[in-house]
């Protein structure tokens, strides 16, 4: 009965034992009430956020949606991240198992022959044994529970890291897709300009043959034509390379990418809600992952503190042993043992204390990483908001400039045909118009890339 009471006390102590180390509490973070780039009417409705929207509601292009869906299934980075989650789940199971007793079974049969002596003749024995053993390291100080807490936090960090990879892949696919559409638009502009300049060369040659033009005019018109022609091979190269980028994001071998829309046809909203700055802490996967690693570092302090205290282990074994198989489970063949062991570190050369200092310093580092990640997130949202707004303004002005440059080409050609201007005027206005159209295409691209960057900065894109 005395042994049973001691065993009961040990079990209860293990069940209700304390946990060493501090319980986790989120560090106090100073967050602004709103973003400086928001207008007063937007600040009044800042509870909503673009980051809460699903990616298919933000990117309404059917071709882009199809590419993103394929990337989410086949992208290697996402698949690697998923395998890391499975690894973290296994680590939790391995760590948690230390809290429970180990029970094992065994069986043995041994045949021994002792040589003859002056007193006895040869002796031959064949003992057989079956047994069941138990070993239990009591988690009285919460060492294993803190280790399990750290492993679970690492699992959550890995899961949030997987979501961060998903968000990054969605943004990368959208970015590459818009860049591909912009290159298509540049190719369209260059091809149209080349055809126009070929026609201009033909007309100038006719004027030179008729005596109303000069050979200089012919050479200058050819210069314009060759400039447009030289841009096409470079654009073809960049288009093929951008298709290869998208193919790799989709988990394919390099190949062509289907698209049916032009860049200007892709929808873009004039303004987007940014939401409350504090909501980024809950929405951005990188911040969540960093916080979970902070939770794990905090739990490891408890593991390090528990190592200073006595470790209590219970052991037990029971079974049967006999020299004859027929009497293995009968008579006095049964046996059992029970024991308890306590081990207290006395002198470790400062190892335990240094390990505690290490875990405390690691937690302090993770706190700084967490605070830095939040500040970086605020900066990214702020930069993206101002980029989105100013890119829209720039695109509007660039559109007006392009319209004026195109009309200037029409007027210059009319003046040259009427004989009141040289071809140099046509050359200058045509070059400016071509550059303006290319700049407008690039401005439209930057406007869409700013939307992608803002969506990613607000923590969107990983939602299933």
């Amino acid at each position: 009965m005395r042994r049973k009471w001691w065993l009961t006390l040990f079990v209860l102590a293990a069940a209700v034992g304390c946990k060493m180390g501090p319980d986790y509490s989120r560090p106090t973070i100073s967050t602004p009430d709103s973003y400086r780039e928001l207008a007063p009417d937007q600040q009044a409705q800042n509870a909503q956020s673009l980051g809460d929207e699903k990616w298919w509601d933000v990117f309404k292009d059917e071709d882009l949606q199809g590419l993103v869906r394929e990337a989410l299934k086949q992208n290697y980075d996402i698949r690697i991240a998923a395998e890391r989650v499975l690894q973290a789940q296994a680590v939790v199971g391995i760590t948690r198992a230390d809290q429970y007793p180990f029970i094992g079974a065994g069986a043995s049969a041994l045949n021994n022959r002792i040589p003859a002596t002056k007193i006895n003749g040869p002796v031959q024995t064949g003992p057989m044994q079956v047994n069941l053993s138990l070993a239990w390291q009591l988690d009285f100080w919460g060492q294993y529970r803190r280790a399990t807490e750290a492993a679970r936090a690492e699992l959550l960090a890995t899961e949030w890291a997987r979501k961060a990879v998903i968000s990054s892949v969605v943004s990368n696919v959208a970015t590459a897709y818009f860049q591909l559409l912009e290159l298509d638009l540049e190719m369209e502009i260059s091809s149209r300009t080349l055809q126009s300049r070929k026609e201009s060369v033909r007309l100038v040659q006719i004027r030179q043959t008729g005596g109303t033009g000069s050979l200089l005019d012919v050479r200058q018109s050819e210069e314009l034509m060759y400039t447009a022609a030289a841009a096409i091979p470079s654009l073809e190269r960049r288009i093929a390379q951008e298709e290869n980028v998208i193919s790799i994001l989709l988990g394919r071998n390099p190949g062509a990418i289907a698209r049916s829309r032009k860049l200007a046809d892709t929808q873009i909203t004039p303004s987007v809600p940014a939401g409350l700055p504090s909501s980024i802490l809950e929405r951005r996967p990188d911040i969540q992952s960093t916080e979970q690693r902070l939770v794990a570092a905090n739990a490891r302090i408890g593991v390090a503190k528990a190592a200073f205290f006595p470790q209590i282990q219970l052991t037990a074994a029971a079974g049967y042993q006999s020299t004859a198989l027929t009497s293995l489970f009968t008579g006095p063949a049964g046996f059992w043992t029970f024991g308890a062991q306590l081990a207290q570190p006395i002198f470790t050369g400062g190892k335990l204390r240094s390990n505690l200092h290490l875990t405390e310093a690691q937690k302090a580092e993770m706190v700084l990483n967490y605070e830095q990640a939040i500040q970086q997130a605020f900066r990214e949202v702020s930069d993206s908001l101002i980029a989105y707004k100013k890119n829209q303004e720039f695109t509007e002005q660039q559109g007006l400039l392009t319209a004026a440059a195109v009309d200037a080409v029409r007027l210059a050609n009319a003046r040259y045909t009427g004989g009141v201007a040289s071809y140099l005027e046509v050359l200058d206005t045509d070059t400016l118009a071509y550059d303006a159209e290319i700049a407008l295409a690039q401005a439209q691209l930057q406007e869409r890339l700013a939307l992608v960057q803002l969506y990613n900065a607000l923590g969107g894109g990983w939602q299933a």
Side-chain angles (χ1 to χ4, degrees), residues 1 22 55 70 107 111 169 209 235 309 331 345 431 437:
M1 290 296 296
W55 58 262
E70 184 176 351
N111 195 342
V169 168
T209 303
L235 288 170
F309 295 89
T431 301
E437 287 191 87

Side-chain angles (χ1 to χ4, degrees), residues 105-367:
S108 64
L110 183 65
N111 195 342
N112 292 330
R113 185 180 186 278
I114 302 175
T117 64
K118 293 181 179 180
I119 301 175
N120 298 323
V123 179
Q124 184 171 348
T125 62
M128 289 169 287
Q129 176 180 307
V130 293
N131 64 79
L132 190 68
S133 61
L134 178 146
W136 191 5
Q137 184 84 28
L138 297 182
D139 193 22
F140 188 80
W141 312 109
Q143 178 180 16
Y144 297 137
R145 279 170 287 166
R146 286 298 191 190
T148 302
E149 180 183 340
R152 285 176 174 163
E154 290 288 355
L155 170 60
L156 290 176
T158 307
E159 175 61 28
W160 279 108
R162 183 186 70 88
K163 293 176 181 178
V165 172
I166 291 175
S167 180
S168 177
V169 168
V170 171
S171 298
N172 290 341
V173 171
T175 297
Y177 177 76
F178 288 135
Q179 288 174 337
L180 183 60
L181 293 188
E182 191 274 334
L183 290 173
D184 288 341
L185 180 55
E186 286 194 32
M187 176 64 77
E188 177 186 340
I189 294 171
S190 297
S191 299
R192 184 180 69 247
T193 302
L194 176 60
Q195 294 303 317
S196 174
R197 290 178 178 180
K198 283 182 177 180
E199 178 64 19
S200 179
V201 168
R202 188 184 68 84
L203 295 177
V204 171
Q205 288 174 341
I206 293 175
R207 288 173 58 87
Q208 192 264 341
T209 303
T212 58
S214 65
L215 183 60
L216 177 61
D217 294 342
V218 174
R219 294 294 179 259
Q220 289 176 334
S221 64
E222 289 176 343
E223 179 185 350
L224 285 177
M225 179 183 67
Y226 295 143
T227 301
I232 291 179
S234 176
L235 288 170
E236 290 174 339
R237 171 186 58 81
R238 293 169 61 192
I239 287 173
Q241 291 174 341
E242 198 66 39
E243 288 180 324
N244 291 344
V245 170
I246 297 177
S247 297
I248 297 303
L249 288 172
L250 302 185
R252 301 182 192 170
N253 291 324
I257 299 297
R259 61 268 192 195
S260 58
R261 288 194 178 190
K262 295 183 179 181
L263 182 65
D265 295 334
T266 55
Q267 298 182 12
I268 187 168
T269 56
S271 63
V272 294
L276 295 171
S278 58
S279 65
I280 291 183
L281 277 62
E282 309 297 334
R283 191 188 309 112
R284 280 198 40 151
D286 58 332
I287 294 178
Q288 286 281 7
S289 179
T290 303
E291 183 178 12
Q292 290 304 320
R293 298 197 186 281
L294 171 58
V295 173
N298 182 79
R300 292 191 185 100
I301 295 178
V303 177
K305 285 186 174 181
F308 285 88
F309 295 89
Q311 306 298 311
I312 303 172
Q313 184 178 29
L314 302 180
T315 58
Y320 297 91
Q321 180 174 342
S322 175
T323 58
L325 181 61
T326 55
S327 60
L328 181 61
F329 299 102
T330 61
F335 71 90
W336 61 267
T337 61
F338 172 79
Q341 180 181 357
L342 183 146
Q344 169 62 54
I346 296 178
F347 177 75
T348 61
K351 178 179 179 181
L352 298 181
R353 188 169 301 279
S354 296
N355 185 53
L356 177 59
H357 293 334
L358 172 63
T359 56
E360 291 173 340
Q362 288 173 337
K363 178 191 174 180
E365 178 188 358
M366 290 308 304
V367 170

Side-chain angles (χ1 to χ4, degrees), residues 376-457:
Q376 182 65 23
F378 289 155
R379 177 195 170 183
E380 290 176 1
V381 174
S382 180
D383 289 348
S384 299
L385 282 171
I386 191 64
Y388 188 65
K389 178 181 178 182
K390 296 305 177 182
N391 278 323
Q392 286 181 322
E393 296 176 1
F394 179 80
T395 302
E396 181 180 358
Q397 296 300 317
Q398 187 64 36
L400 298 175
L401 187 152
T402 302
V406 171
D407 192 54
V409 172
R410 179 186 64 82
L411 295 174
N413 277 294
R415 284 168 55 82
Y416 173 70
T417 303
V420 296
S422 67
Y423 197 77
L424 181 60
E425 183 176 315
V426 176
L427 177 67
D428 291 340
T429 55
D430 192 277
T431 301
L432 291 174
Y434 175 73
D435 293 341
E437 287 191 87
I438 295 298
L440 178 59
Q442 294 173 348
Q444 292 173 343
L445 169 64
Q446 293 303 318
E447 188 178 6
R448 283 150 183 81
L449 293 186
L451 176 64
V452 175
Q453 293 166 359
L454 177 59
Y455 183 52
N456 182 262

